[in-house]
Amino acid sequence: MGAGERIRILFVAALLVAAGPLLGTYWVGLLTQAMIFAILAMSLDLLIGYTGLPSLGHAGLFGVAAYAVAVLTTAHHASWWMAAAGALIVGTLVSAAFGLLVSHVRDVYFLMITLALGMVLWGLSYRWIPVTGGDNGISGVPRLVGPLRAYYATFAVFVACGAAMARLVASPFGFTLRGIRENEARMKSLGFNTWLHCYVSYVISGAFASVAGIAWAYYNGFVGPTYLDLTSSSEAFLMVTLGGPGTLVGPALGAGAIVLLKNVMSAYTQRWLLILGLVYVVTIVGAPQGLWNLVAVNPPRRDSPRRRARRTLLVLFILLIPVATLVRGQTPAPIKIGFMAPLSGAYAQNGRDIMNGLLLYLAEVGYKTAGRRIEVVVEDDEAIPAVGLTKARKLIERDQVHLLAGALLSSTGYALAPYIDSVGIPMLYPVVSADDLTQRRRSQWIVRTGYSGSQPNHAFGDYAYRELKLRKVATIALDYAFGWESVGGFARTFEENGGTIVQKIWCPVSVHDFAPYLAQVSSNVDAVYALVLGRAALQFMRQYSEFGLKKRILLIGAGTTTDEHVLPSMGDEAIGAITALHYSAALGTPANERFVAAYRARYNKVPSYYAESMYTGAKWIAAAAERVHGRVEDRSALMTALREVKVADLPRGPVELDEYGNPIENVYVRRVERVNGELQNTVIATFPRVSQFWKYKPADYLKQPLYAR
């Protein structure tokens, strides 16, 4: 490393040290994240840039250490240093074991094996529910210090790891790794044990990735399966290639650029992924050696001043994108609602339905309530818990919103809850249905206006036995928390009445073909209970008919199976299916008819329960603001109002919150019929005022374990 590079590194380090007290907590948090991922990217650079081994499973090692911290601190109440030491040992041992499997292969074979091993770790985190919490992850990892101290602690770890890795690559061992990267056959002929060097490089790289995972667990307070998946490994790979492999500093720069670009751009445009992709393309075309090598202190002679100037401008363009997006006009004293939902990725349509319900109600009231204007700050949480946490911090700490609303997945809901409690800000979940969020792990700062996953299914299990006269049922459901709780609620009341669940068939969330699962359905059942949603619901319904099951076995299920977010795309194969939920667009009440007409006029489609849930949530927020006479700055008063307010004329019918913050509401049994050329969920029975505890005493109910697989 030349003197010029040292000067640049020292300059950046000095900026990081000085920036802490000058920045708000949101920016301090983003820089903390950037340094954690910089450690991960530098650890991966030991493999990619110095040894020539491209890994697509590095996030697995990062996630193993993070899970170890979470398990040791929450389940075993270990001290922070014991948890950190234990996690480092676990992460290093896993790296050592995996290294034995991968160190003898090269190039694309190394890439594929590391990808497979990473997916094995992801599968364990997803399925080893007693330890990892499955899809819900593990929340409640204690944050040891405040944001600014965490920033400087992370900076110290970042500097220590960077210095250690720099010393390593400058050692004879590091030069041997470079030799292996350039010509392994020649290094073998010189007498070097290349397998051993690659193995040690992999183990050391995994150990540093574990350090990043430990820091992330303590910073984030939540660990979930998404930290170990292919997307996370691919993002780390991009950090290295964007910054410049074989430099250490470059991957750290790439990590910072990606973290800042993602979090800043997504606040201002839903097409931020397109912009980020453009940055990748421009960088690879204009600077194939990475950002760090763009402005070389000692450029080669053939590099003309004009070319260096163009490259310098490219760096400035990429790094100034976040700054350029910060210019925004200010308006006087609005009520600021921070809204988040997945607006990109596999759950984007569900997220847009949620947002549509919010915007429809706000448009109806002219974006005003309690004499104050309403401003909505929208964020895309990508259906990733870690992203949701980052966006929540941004909304609260930088945008200074008065309350939060939104989210879709249970895992995101669980991840947000400890942070929401720590800052003490009202949060409204319109859709997140994880049972325990308003039961054993309830929060004083969270209410929901949707439902708990088992709630409508308790009623439906009773109806299936008593009214449909079913006695034997097979269940097919997506294999994650929402599926477990929905099936669990149905099975409990159905079996208590005397019915039998003959078999439970679980399908992966990413299922593309239901044939292997439908083939398992017993012929000795009266009905099949299905829980699917989105694309999976369309595929399931079509294949259920193609297998001939529709003619022989009644199809029943959870409300999402035929919800209006997918029902218009189904055909006659859906007719006759019976499901239960707290809403149907075909509900014949004046309030719902007005809502459906307004929604159709604005969005040219039928509202789903996702849309209705946030429409109701928006009315709830407005009513609470009216109750406190617009003084939403008083968070405690606003939270009390959210819990106690009564809202009339809701599309779904009467709703009130119980003492745990969950709705007591009607549950509707619906049958799919074709009316006036359209499929609809015709209401055939109503269970009034259904509680999340069904007919059980809450104290007795809460003594039972959470519904699981």
Side-chain angles (χ1 to χ4, degrees), residues 147-170:
L148 189 58
R149 289 188 178 182
Y151 170 79
Y152 282 116
T154 304
F155 176 76
V157 174
F158 167 63
V159 170
C161 289
M165 283 186 267
R167 189 74 177 267
L168 177 71
V169 299

Side-chain angles (χ1 to χ4, degrees), residues 261-276 321 325 328 343-344 352 378-380 382 391 394:
L261 286 170
K262 280 178 58 178
N263 287 282
V264 174
M265 286 190 304
S266 62
Y268 299 97
T269 175
Q270 295 177 18
R271 295 180 174 84
W272 63 271
L273 283 171
L274 180 64
I275 298 174
L276 195 58
I321 287 176
T325 58
R328 174 182 283 190
L343 302 175
S344 60
R352 292 182 190 281
V378 177
E379 290 290 347
D380 176 11
E382 304 173 46
K391 296 306 175 67
K394 182 257 182 187

Side-chain angles (χ1 to χ4, degrees), residues 185-192:
R186 178 173 294 180
M187 296 301 291
K188 284 183 177 180
S189 68
L190 292 174
F192 289 95

